[in-house]
Each structure stands twice: as structure tokens, then as C-alpha cells.
Amino acid sequence: MSETIEKYLVSTDSTFEHVIQRLDENSGGVVFIVDDNEIMKGILTDGDVRRLILKGISTDKVVNDLMNDNFVSGSINSSRSENIKLLNNKVHHLPILDESGIPVDMISWSDLWSLPIAQPFLGGNELKYITDCISTMWISSQGHYIEKFEESMVSFLGGGKGLCTSSGTTALTLSLAALGITSGDEVIVPNITFGATANAVIQLGAIPVFVDIDSRSKTMCPVAFQDAITNKTKAVIPVHLYGHPCDMDPILEIAKKFNIYVVEDCAESLGAEYKDKKVGLLGDVSCFSFFANKVITTGEGGMVVTKDDSLLGKMKLLRDHGMSPKRRYWHELPGYNFRMTNLQAAIGLAQMEQIDKFLIDRREIVDIYNKKLASIKTIVRPVEESWAKNIYWLYSIELQDNDSLITKNMLMTRLKSVGIESRPVFPPLNNQPAYRSDNINSYPVSEKFAKNGLSLPTANGMKIGDAERVCNLIKTILK
């Protein structure tokens, strides 16, 4: 008997409560029921469990009286291809039985096919440019691909000047440091975002102040931003979350009124637009990430973009150990090593050559999601406001907060069982150990979104058929 199959087994004299616990442990959505001789007698899926709960079945009830004894199984004497043919939209896990009827192994859809939530597509000039770096031995933080990558970025954005960094997080840290953010200063951050946004603030000794998000776009609420301003507030970081831009006009107006710096977090929004302008040139400085799951990637890496030459010079100085560009090894400031390598920039340049295609392909996937999921009343689809162009870095849906027995975690488990990766939306920062404080503010929109929100695959290279399959499975699961 394989180790894999053991975590799916329960005995006929087990209680209904034990079945629920085992389902939670294996995350596969099914248990196989065996007698004292380990011979398989029945099956229960998480769908069966929900129906039994609806009927008011006691958790003390014995499984033998609840199981489905009309199940499909494969044989150890059949070929793998013959057993695989038994899998279908209803049979996602196939127990493999020996001659005595004892389950010895299993085959799952997820073993045969998988759809990642995000992945890079490296089908352009990446290898060619990297080979050039290696053959010329320009592999460190100097080389012409650095400048070319920066130029390609600002050309795509339509202005500004770019500076490569080692990551999106260091781009944020560099921006805040160059703006003079220091110990005791307050920086306003949306409560739903990846931790890097707050980490960059904390690393400089400043204090992140969390505010709630807008109920539609799930980005920073301008009213909440204004309400959080104190005489210590020095900057705000609007995050264009999951590819949808923030409502920037009111944020910029408020920031100007109170003399607050605006640092755009564009890690998830390359190509998104606010009122026909690409995000990244709306605030004082913007920060991009090129981690492997982003729209374009350099493996790890980031970039700051600004229209302010003075600020650019300060960031360039800080990025390179604070060394003077005019005098070697002369440190004008205690800086950082936040540089990107020429190798990474070479990949980034090749990726930028394909970005228009990446965004067009992504929109086609989103159109399938929007069309296929529109009829499911229990799902709230991500919006695209009239003033926005959403690039849907991740297609993040929200289950209606009602009495449905299907929870976010259940849906994710069922999708995983057939090889489809999904992930929960970011949990509120104010609840996490690294950021928890005595702040008594409430964040109702953040909490509701985190409770019910999950993201579906939007990987580069994803096919139309993949999106259709995701939608069809979601419909089946939610019935």
C-alpha cells in the first residue's frame, strides 16, 4: 500500500466526524472506506458530506451507514492507461484495488494535468540575450541590457525615467529612503496587499498605517486615506491591487493638500491604465516587481520610475552603496546594494518585447471567465471601473457572503483535486503577527474580501480551453 493512499482511508466503524477530519487532512475531497480486512467497501466525497450535514446527520453516526457503496475503482492488474480512462468529470480520484479488493494506490486528475495560477513564458529572445551576456562576460550589475531594459520600460509607460533594482521590495525601500522617510514617520498603506508594501516602511523605521479598501475595486479607499492622516504622515502607497488601478485623482488631491508623497505600488499592474494613462507616472515615484509570477519577469527584480530628475539621482546614489559617481569608492551616503544584474535585465528586455501579446492573451482569458461565470449568482467577479483598464494580474473572485455550504477553502480544495491551482487573496495586514498593533480601526471590506476571495489562474501561456475548463468545474462544484 502506498503512503499516498493511506491518508485517504477510514474504517467502516469510523464516525462521521472522523471522515470530516480526514477530508480536512488530505485536502483531496474524498475518503475511501475499508473494513477490518482493509477491503474497500465504499466512498464519501466532500459533496456527500455537505449533503449529509444539510440532512442534519449526527457527527457520531457510523460511516458504514452513510457511505456510497456504488463506486468506481481501478485494478492493479490493468494498465495505467486503462485505469486513467475511468477518470471523468465525476470521478476525480480512482482507488486502485488488488485482487482481494484492498486499495493499494490511487490516480488523481491532479497527477495527470495541472494548471498553475501564474507562470512565466520564456519563448522570446531570453536565451539569446542571456547567451550574449555570458559570451561577453557582462553578467553582473553593469552591461548594456540594464540601460536597454530601463528604456523599454519607460517607452512602454510613455514617459519618466527608470532605474533597475534587485526586487520590487527594494524598489519600494529605495523610493521611501530617497524621499526622506525615516524613523517615526507614518506611511499610509492599504490593509489588503502583499506584506512587502508594509515591510519596506518598517525597514526604514517608519510606521505603516493601514486603511480599508474600496468595496468594488478592492484598492485603497480615498476617504479612508484622508481619515488616517496625522501630522506624522509623510507618504502614502496606493497599491494597484491584482491589476486594477486605484482611483488616483482623489488620492493625489488629498496628498497635495497635506503635502504627502505618493509612491505607486505597481508590482501587479504593469500595463494597467487610469483615465487612459498607464499607472506608474501618476505619483512622485512608482515601483514595479518582476518576480516570476508577474506579467513580465526577470526571475527576481524590480524597477523604480519617476519624472523627478533630482529624486532619480538620489535613488541612483542610494542604490549603489551611496558611492559618488564622480569619485570611486567615495561614499556620500550610507546606501544599499539594490542593483539588478545584466543577466536579469537581458531577460527583462526580452519579456518587454512580448508584453503587448501577454496583455492581449490575458484579456482573452479574462473574457472567458467573465462570460462563463456571469450566470453564477454566488460569485462576485472582479470589476473594471469606467475610468480604469484592469490587466487582471490575477482573476480574483469573491463568493457571496451567504448561507451557502461552499466556502472559499472548499472550492479551492476541489479545484486542487483536479489539478487547478488557486490561492486565497491577501489576508488583512492588521491581523498578521508582523504588523499587529493596538490600532482600533475597523476594516470591514478587507475582512469580507479576505474571508470570501480567491484568485483563479491567469498564467502566461494559458489556453482558452484551460479557462473554459476552470469555469465548467466551478459550475459543477457550486451546484
Side-chain angles (χ1 to χ4, degrees):
M1 183 180 296
S2 72
E3 293 182 6
T4 301
I5 193 71
E6 288 184 356
K7 64 182 180 181
Y8 289 87
L9 302 182
V10 296
S11 62
T12 51
D13 58 357
S14 297
T15 63
F16 185 37
E17 180 179 10
H18 181 63
V19 168
I20 296 171
Q21 291 173 345
R22 183 51 63 94
L23 282 169
D24 185 55
E25 291 167 3
N26 67 38
S27 300
V30 66
V31 292
F32 306 128
I33 297 140
V34 297
D35 64 14
D36 292 341
N37 296 316
E38 298 187 340
I39 296 173
M40 185 164 171
K41 293 298 182 180
I43 187 172
L44 279 174
T45 68
D46 54 1
D48 296 327
V49 167
R50 287 194 298 276
R51 287 185 283 274
L52 290 168
I53 291 173
L54 278 174
K55 291 180 179 179
I57 297 297
S58 169
T59 55
D60 295 330
K61 193 76 172 176
V62 177
V63 171
N64 190 62
D65 300 328
L66 304 175
M67 67 185 183
N68 175 9
D69 57 9
N70 182 22
F71 56 88
V72 177
S73 62
S75 171
I76 195 172
N77 295 319
S78 299
S79 67
R80 181 172 174 81
S81 60
E82 288 174 328
N83 284 326
I84 287 173
K85 290 178 182 178
L86 298 174
L87 293 169
N88 55 47
N89 284 337
K90 291 185 178 180
V91 181
H92 298 158
H93 301 283
L94 184 75
I96 306 299
L97 311 184
D98 67 11
E99 295 87 345
S100 302
I102 297 174
V104 293
D105 207 345
M106 65 181 290
I107 301 175
S108 300
W109 265 123
S110 57
D111 299 330
L112 310 175
W113 178 85
S114 63
L115 179 63
I117 192 162
Q119 68 178 2
F121 180 82
L122 304 172
N125 287 317
E126 290 87 358
L127 183 59
K128 175 183 176 182
Y129 294 164
I130 289 176
T131 302
D132 181 49
C133 292
I134 294 172
S135 63
T136 59
M137 293 185 288
W138 288 97
I139 62 171
S140 191
S141 57
Q142 297 181 21
H144 68 278
Y145 284 107
I146 299 282
E147 184 177 339
K148 285 186 175 182
F149 182 33
E150 292 168 347
E151 290 173 351
S152 70
M153 174 66 74
V154 298
S155 175
F156 175 75
L157 296 178
K161 293 182 180 178
L163 188 67
C164 290
T165 62
S166 54
S167 70
T169 306
T170 57
L172 285 165
T173 305
L174 185 64
S175 298
L176 294 170
L179 290 170
I181 304 303
T182 189
S183 179
D185 291 342
E186 292 180 352
V187 178
I188 295 177
V189 174
N191 198 31
I192 297 287
T193 182
F194 182 56
T197 313
N199 291 343
V201 176
I202 294 171
Q203 293 302 323
L204 294 171
I207 303 165
V209 176
F210 304 124
V211 298
D212 210 357
I213 56 174
D214 175 71
S215 61
R216 284 177 52 81
S217 69
K218 306 300 189 283
T219 60
M220 178 181 284
C221 173
V223 174
F225 162 43
Q226 180 161 336
D227 290 345
I229 294 172
T230 71
N231 58 6
K232 294 182 179 180
T233 305
K234 296 296 188 294
V236 60
I237 308 180
V239 179
H240 305 304
L241 192 74
Y242 294 130
H244 194 291
C246 299
D247 190 1
M248 289 300 295
D249 279 354
I251 291 174
L252 292 169
E253 289 172 9
I254 294 165
K256 183 177 181 180
K257 177 180 178 181
F258 291 94
N259 196 28
I260 295 170
Y261 293 117
V262 178
V263 179
E264 288 182 82
D265 187 334
C266 304
E268 303 166 7
S269 60
L270 179 59
E273 296 180 8
Y274 178 74
K275 296 185 176 180
D276 297 324
K277 295 180 181 178
K278 286 189 171 66
V279 299
L281 296 174
L282 305 173
D284 294 287
V285 61
S286 61
C287 304
F288 293 86
S289 170
F290 309 124
F291 183 62
N293 64 7
K294 298 302 191 293
V295 177
I296 71 160
T297 186
T298 57
E300 288 279 4
M303 190 178 295
V304 291
V305 176
T306 184
K307 294 180 286 187
D308 187 328
D309 288 340
S310 176
L311 181 60
L312 180 72
K314 184 74 173 292
M315 290 190 293
K316 187 175 292 187
L317 185 70
L318 285 169
R319 183 194 66 169
D320 299 333
H321 297 284
M323 288 192 297
S324 170
K326 299 178 181 178
R327 183 177 177 182
R328 295 194 71 181
Y329 309 122
W330 188 260
H331 298 269
E332 296 183 2
L333 292 171
Y336 312 93
N337 179 3
F338 284 169
R339 297 172 299 198
M340 176 184 283
T341 68
N342 198 43
L343 282 167
Q344 291 172 300
I347 297 173
L349 178 63
Q351 289 275 288
M352 285 302 295
E353 292 171 353
Q354 304 168 83
I355 187 168
D356 290 332
K357 183 180 187 307
F358 290 163
L359 294 174
I360 290 171
D361 291 349
R362 187 174 297 262
R363 176 63 67 162
E364 290 179 351
I365 297 299
V366 168
D367 288 344
I368 295 295
Y369 280 147
N370 283 337
K371 180 180 178 181
K372 295 281 188 179
L373 299 180
S375 60
I376 305 178
K377 295 181 180 179
T378 53
I379 287 180
V380 179
R381 292 168 294 149
V383 303
E384 184 174 53
E385 297 287 13
S386 59
W387 39 262
K389 178 182 178 182
N390 186 352
I391 64 158
Y392 300 92
W393 171 60
L394 291 179
Y395 191 89
S396 300
I397 63 174
E398 188 176 1
L399 295 184
Q400 291 279 24
D401 198 3
N402 54 25
D403 296 328
S404 171
L405 283 176
I406 294 289
T407 66
K408 171 188 70 177
N409 290 337
M410 287 178 180
L411 179 56
M412 291 174 62
T413 296
R414 291 293 298 276
L415 291 173
K416 179 182 177 182
S417 74
V418 290
I420 296 172
E421 185 184 5
S422 61
R423 76 180 206 186
V425 299
F426 299 125
L429 292 178
N430 74 294
N431 288 335
Q432 300 183 43
Y435 318 111
R436 194 175 293 136
S437 67
D438 296 330
N439 193 326
I440 60 173
N441 290 344
S442 62
Y443 309 91
V445 182
S446 299
E447 290 169 2
K448 181 175 179 290
F449 186 46
K451 175 186 175 184
N452 300 322
L454 68 147
S455 300
L456 302 178
T458 53
N460 285 345
M462 185 173 165
K463 307 299 183 184
I464 295 296
D466 294 333
E468 291 175 339
R469 183 173 184 181
V470 173
C471 294
N472 291 336
L473 284 163
I474 289 175
K475 288 181 179 180
T476 301
I477 293 167
L478 294 181
K479 278 184 180 178

